[in-house]
Amino acid sequence: MQLRHIEITNFRPYRAAEVDLTDADGHIHIIEGPQGAGKTSFHRAVQWGLYGGEGPTTNYKTNWNETAREEGNERMGVRIKFEEEGRDHILHREIDRFNHNRKEAHEKRVLIIDGATRREGENADEYIRDLLPEQLKDFFFLDGEMIQNLIDDDTGVEVKEDIETVLKHEAIINAREDLQSLIKDRYEPERDRIENERDERSELDDRISDLRGERRELRERREELREERQEVADNIEETREELEQYNEELIEELNTYDEEIRDLEREQRETAEQMKESWEEIHVGILSRPIEEAQEQLREQEEHYEELRSTLQKQDLVQRLQQQVQKEGECPICGNDHVQDVPDVSFKDEIEESEVELTRRITDCREKHRRLANAPRPDVSPVKAANRVQELREEIRTKEQEQDELLQEYGGRPQEGQKEQYEEMLRSLNRKQENLDEEWDEVRGRIQELDDEIEQKRNEKQRKDGEQAYKRIRAKIKAAEMAIDHLDAIRHEHIQQKRDNIKEEMNAVFKQVSQSEFIKGRYEGIDFRGEPGDEDSFVLELIKQGGERKAMDDRPPSAGEAQLTALSFIFGLNEWAKYSTTIVFDTVAGRLDLQNSKAQGDFFTTLDEGLILLVTDAELQKLRPAIKADIGKHYRIRPDAEMNSKLEVK
């Protein structure tokens, strides 16, 4: 990055100033001015143009020219033209927005390359940082008042990384950064993702286990519901059958009992009535036996008279047959001519009446018998009737007891309300069955949902990386880390080599710029305190004649010694740096005596890169004899009455 033109507008003491280094004959450019005239402000203007300021407030209160602020002139900026690898670049950083209420001035950046490619804002800043990282600016934009701080132990440790950045081989750093980016941006997020997915897989396993447990419980509940549903269905059928039996068989059986009881009660009433009538006709019942005996005698007498009359009739017939046989000579019945004589039958001992009399007597017996038969007598014995009544009562009691047992078994005599109870029982069972069916459907649906969710979780688990993927990514990270370690080893070896080269170069510079008899007689060179990998690997120490090291912190060197040491290190570092730019050096020889200043000037003439020296007239006086032939542009800072600075070509 070779600076060719610098233009400053309303920045610190400069209202309008520009430095043109394009057609310079020499590579050493001088900006001369008295102390406080604006040399350090020019130095900061270049850095502000490249990297920006410390924020809108600093821009407003510190960087904005005081006169411009009083006038309300809101033009402020730095325009830098530089050349990089043969291409022209124009960087313009300006303030495009002022907020006076908040006292802020906001920057705008525009970079134009070769008059065609335009970059703005962060893109422009990123491009500049690639050319020369901001953390390295102190190695190229030098302040003689500050560079001696590089010999401090703390500073040496702090700038170690920056120095290594200056020295890093581009391929090594890019490869290392690429690997670090690969680990950080890809492998580690991938590892974290896989670790999370491993945890998620574990959570999925737990969830699947929970789902399986819930499904198992639901399946057990489904079996219970199956049994309950079957039990309720059986109860419904049984209740329905019981209701039918209750309404049919029970009623029929109860009706049979009722009918039998009614018949028994009716018979009981009739028997009781008969018993009552028998008691009322008891006086007739007393004569029943004599009447029966008289009737028996009349029957016997009637039978006797009937027998006598029959005998008389037979004997009369026989006598007539004998008379006919005697008259006709043969029997009219059988035709036999011999007929035995029929003896005479006499009734004189028993009855002397004729047949007519016997008939009359028979008729008389019959009449008497009829009258005795028609005599009033009780149909039933009162005792028998009473016994029958008692038997009927026992039968009625037995039937009623059986009926009560039946009613007790069925809960009472069936009535309309009881029928409704059975029907309500059926409705309740039906509702229970409906509820069980609903729960069955819910359980079955939930089981299906669990099956689907388990399948989903299984698929989700399969999609997530597990232990094998974790091992693979860990292996990749380990391989990348090993590659970084190898690159670090290469880098350390490279840095050690560069460190040795820097040591050699800075000692060469030290010998060139340290020409006073005091410095030459006291010190033989400079070295680094620590080893390449140590934190103090770039902490500087002066080496006394004879090899003894100067304890820089215990017995600090003089300002001149410190400046020469730091200057030697800076230019020894720049010799091997992978970055380059025009060096801007403020307060070049303020701490040096005339002999060492001249030696420093002689060294400046040997540099290949451009050099801008910000000096006082006294410093220039010391340097001029050595650099006169290599001076390109020479500008002088002239403050005006308002302490605003202008740059004039001398």
Side-chain angles (χ1 to χ4, degrees):
M1 179 189 292
Q2 297 302 312
L3 303 182
R4 299 304 184 200
H5 191 93
I6 302 169
E7 184 178 342
I8 306 172
T9 303
N10 288 328
F11 186 90
R12 296 200 173 196
Y14 296 100
R15 295 297 306 273
E18 62 180 294
V19 173
D20 187 3
L21 311 175
T22 305
D23 299 323
D25 294 331
H27 68 281
I28 300 175
H29 309 290
I30 305 297
I31 297 178
E32 176 191 353
Q35 291 179 345
K39 296 187 300 298
T40 301
S41 293
F42 181 90
H43 192 264
R44 292 181 179 176
V46 175
Q47 295 181 67
W48 186 86
L50 291 173
Y51 303 109
E54 298 176 0
T57 301
T58 301
N59 286 336
Y60 189 95
K61 294 181 177 181
T62 304
N63 294 335
W64 192 15
N65 178 267
E66 184 176 352
T67 304
R69 184 166 61 247
E70 292 174 354
E71 294 175 353
N73 187 335
E74 296 184 352
R75 290 185 66 246
M76 174 185 169
V78 173
R79 185 174 181 269
I80 299 175
K81 180 179 180 181
F82 63 90
E83 182 182 335
E84 175 67 26
E85 294 183 353
R87 302 172 66 186
D88 290 333
H89 296 69
I90 298 176
L91 174 63
H92 189 192
R93 187 179 299 271
E94 63 179 352
I95 300 299
D96 70 335
R97 181 166 57 88
F98 287 85
N99 187 328
H100 299 290
N101 292 328
R102 301 180 63 176
K103 299 186 182 307
E104 292 179 347
H106 298 270
E107 303 171 10
K108 175 183 178 182
R109 293 86 76 196
V110 177
L111 174 67
I112 300 175
I113 305 173
D114 284 343
T117 304
R118 183 184 180 92
R119 299 175 184 269
E120 296 185 9
E122 185 62 32
N123 290 332
D125 289 341
E126 184 177 353
Y127 185 86
I128 295 298
R129 287 194 295 267
D130 287 341
L131 294 180
L132 184 65
E134 184 177 1
Q135 70 266 27
L136 305 182
K137 65 182 181 180
D138 290 340
F139 296 111
F140 299 94
F141 301 100
L142 310 178
D143 185 345
E145 299 288 343
M146 302 298 295
I147 61 171
Q148 58 186 335
N149 293 334
L150 289 174
I151 69 172
D152 295 341
D153 287 359
D154 292 341
T155 303
V157 172
E158 290 174 0
V159 301
K160 176 179 183 293
E161 184 176 351
D162 296 335
I163 294 171
E164 291 183 353
T165 301
V166 174
L167 300 177
K168 286 176 186 175
H169 191 279
E170 186 175 0
I172 296 176
I173 178 112
N174 290 341
R176 189 178 191 280
E177 289 179 352
D178 288 345
L179 286 171
Q180 288 177 327
S181 298
L182 183 65
I183 293 174
K184 180 179 179 181
D185 299 336
R186 181 175 176 182
Y187 289 165
E188 288 183 348
E190 182 72 6
R191 179 197 62 193
D192 295 341
R193 181 189 66 78
I194 293 174
E195 286 179 345
N196 291 334
E197 289 194 353
R198 285 199 310 168
D199 294 339
E200 290 174 1
R201 282 170 63 90
S202 178
E203 292 175 0
L204 286 171
D205 285 335
D206 294 340
R207 178 57 180 162
I208 290 173
S209 178
D210 293 342
L211 291 173
R212 286 173 174 168
E214 184 179 354
R215 183 178 63 181
R216 183 170 56 254
E217 292 176 359
L218 286 173
R219 284 176 173 172
E220 292 174 356
R221 178 56 182 158
R222 183 176 62 182
E223 293 304 315
E224 293 175 359
L225 286 173
R226 191 194 307 277
E227 296 176 0
E228 290 182 20
R229 292 172 74 216
Q230 185 61 44
E231 182 179 353
V232 170
D234 294 341
N235 288 339
I236 290 174
E237 184 64 26
E238 183 179 348
T239 303
R240 186 176 289 112
E241 292 176 357
E242 288 179 357
L243 179 60
E244 292 176 357
Q245 289 180 347
Y246 191 85
N247 288 330
E248 295 177 4
E249 296 179 3
L250 177 60
I251 292 175
E252 182 180 352
E253 191 170 358
L254 289 174
N255 288 339
T256 301
Y257 276 111
D258 288 340
E259 185 177 352
E260 290 178 353
I261 290 172
R262 284 195 299 272
D263 291 342
L264 291 172
E265 288 176 345
R266 184 173 59 254
E267 184 179 355
Q268 182 186 32
R269 286 194 300 272
E270 291 175 355
T271 304
E273 186 65 28
Q274 290 175 359
M275 184 180 67
K276 181 180 178 182
E277 292 176 357
S278 297
W279 281 110
E280 290 177 352
E281 296 176 355
I282 193 60
H283 60 286
V284 179
I286 294 173
L287 298 175
S288 296
R289 187 63 181 171
I291 292 173
E292 291 177 357
E293 292 177 353
Q295 285 180 317
E296 184 65 28
Q297 290 176 358
L298 286 171
R299 279 195 297 272
E300 290 177 358
Q301 193 174 17
E302 182 182 354
E303 289 176 358
H304 179 68
Y305 288 151
E306 285 286 349
E307 185 178 355
L308 289 176
R309 189 176 65 177
S310 176
T311 301
L312 286 174
Q313 288 175 350
K314 290 180 180 179
Q315 186 163 352
D316 182 59
L317 178 59
V318 171
Q319 288 176 352
R320 285 197 301 269
L321 286 174
Q322 286 179 346
Q323 289 174 3
Q324 189 175 353
V325 169
Q326 290 175 358
K327 182 179 178 180
E328 296 179 1
E330 60 181 7
C331 180
I333 296 174
C334 63
N336 194 351
D337 59 358
H338 177 72
V339 179
Q340 186 178 359
D341 289 338
V342 179
D344 262 343
V345 179
S346 177
F347 296 99
K348 289 182 180 181
D349 292 336
E350 296 182 12
I351 188 167
E352 296 180 353
E353 288 86 354
S354 62
E355 183 181 355
V356 175
E357 182 62 22
L358 288 173
T359 301
R360 184 188 65 75
R361 286 179 179 267
I362 290 171
T363 302
D364 185 50
C365 286
R366 288 178 177 173
E367 181 62 25
K368 289 179 180 180
H369 188 277
R370 185 187 64 75
R371 285 198 298 271
L372 289 173
N374 291 332
R377 288 178 296 175
D379 294 335
V380 181
S381 168
V383 177
K384 291 182 179 181
N387 291 336
R388 182 57 181 164
V389 169
Q390 184 63 30
E391 292 175 359
L392 291 172
R393 285 177 180 170
E394 291 297 330
E395 290 184 18
I396 291 172
R397 189 177 297 111
T398 300
K399 292 295 182 182
E400 288 178 342
Q401 185 176 357
E402 292 177 357
Q403 188 181 49
D404 290 341
E405 292 175 356
L406 184 62
L407 291 174
Q408 185 176 2
E409 179 182 354
Y410 285 91
R413 182 177 293 276
Q415 299 176 359
E416 189 63 27
Q418 293 169 330
K419 180 180 178 182
E420 291 179 357
Q421 290 178 359
Y422 267 96
E423 291 175 348
E424 177 60 29
M425 187 185 301
L426 279 175
R427 287 193 292 271
S428 176
L429 288 171
N430 286 327
R431 285 194 297 271
K432 185 175 182 180
Q433 186 179 48
E434 291 174 359
N435 293 336
L436 290 173
D437 289 343
E438 290 178 2
E439 187 177 356
W440 169 272
D441 293 337
E442 291 176 359
V443 168
R444 183 175 59 184
R446 180 56 181 159
I447 289 175
Q448 184 60 48
E449 291 177 0
L450 292 176
D451 288 339
D452 295 341
E453 187 173 356
I454 289 173
E455 184 64 23
Q456 177 188 352
K457 298 301 181 186
R458 285 174 177 168
N459 294 334
E460 186 177 350
K461 177 183 173 183
Q462 290 177 353
R463 290 193 298 271
K464 295 184 180 299
D465 290 322
E467 191 65 29
Q468 293 300 320
Y470 181 74
K471 290 180 178 178
R472 287 195 297 270
I473 196 66
R474 285 293 303 140
K476 290 180 180 179
I477 292 175
K478 185 176 181 180
E481 290 174 343
M482 291 178 62
I484 290 174
D485 291 340
H486 289 313
L487 288 173
D488 285 341
I490 295 172
R491 180 174 62 87
H492 290 154
E493 183 177 352
H494 173 75
I495 289 174
Q496 183 173 3
Q497 180 182 358
K498 291 291 185 182
R499 186 170 172 268
D500 293 340
N501 293 336
I502 292 169
K503 177 181 175 181
E504 181 180 351
E505 183 64 28
M506 73 179 178
N507 276 287
V509 173
F510 185 75
K511 288 180 179 180
Q512 290 184 55
V513 299
S514 303
Q515 293 299 317
S516 67
E517 292 299 326
F518 176 78
I519 298 294
K520 289 176 65 176
R522 190 171 186 180
Y523 301 107
E524 66 177 32
I526 311 170
D527 197 0
F528 298 114
R529 177 190 299 174
E531 296 299 323
D534 298 338
E535 288 187 353
D536 58 353
S537 60
F538 287 99
V539 174
L540 299 173
E541 289 184 335
L542 284 168
I543 307 299
K544 296 180 180 180
Q545 295 293 340
E548 182 183 357
R549 292 177 179 265
K550 178 179 179 60
M552 308 288 271
D553 285 345
D554 294 341
R555 293 188 298 276
S558 66
E561 292 174 335
Q563 184 168 351
L564 290 173
T565 301
L567 183 69
S568 300
F569 169 68
I570 291 270
F571 284 96
L573 176 66
N574 285 339
E575 176 68 20
W576 297 99
K578 290 299 179 180
Y579 300 95
S580 65
T581 185
T582 299
I583 295 177
V584 182
F585 197 167
D586 185 19
T587 313
V588 178
R591 303 282 183 171
L592 302 180
D593 57 24
L594 181 61
Q595 191 172 7
N596 286 322
S597 294
K598 181 181 180 300
Q600 182 178 237
D602 290 337
F603 169 71
F604 288 157
T605 62
T606 65
L607 298 177
D608 295 330
E609 303 292 340
L611 178 65
I612 299 175
L613 301 179
L614 303 170
V615 296
T616 63
D617 54 357
E619 290 176 303
L620 181 59
Q621 212 172 26
K622 297 177 183 179
L623 293 170
R624 183 183 289 275
I627 65 173
K628 181 178 180 180
D630 292 286
I631 294 177
K633 290 293 180 71
H634 185 174
Y635 289 88
R636 180 172 291 170
I637 304 173
R638 293 199 179 276
D640 61 14
E642 298 177 346
M643 296 306 295
N644 292 317
S645 299
K646 295 182 179 180
L647 287 174
E648 297 178 351
V649 178
K650 184 177 178 181

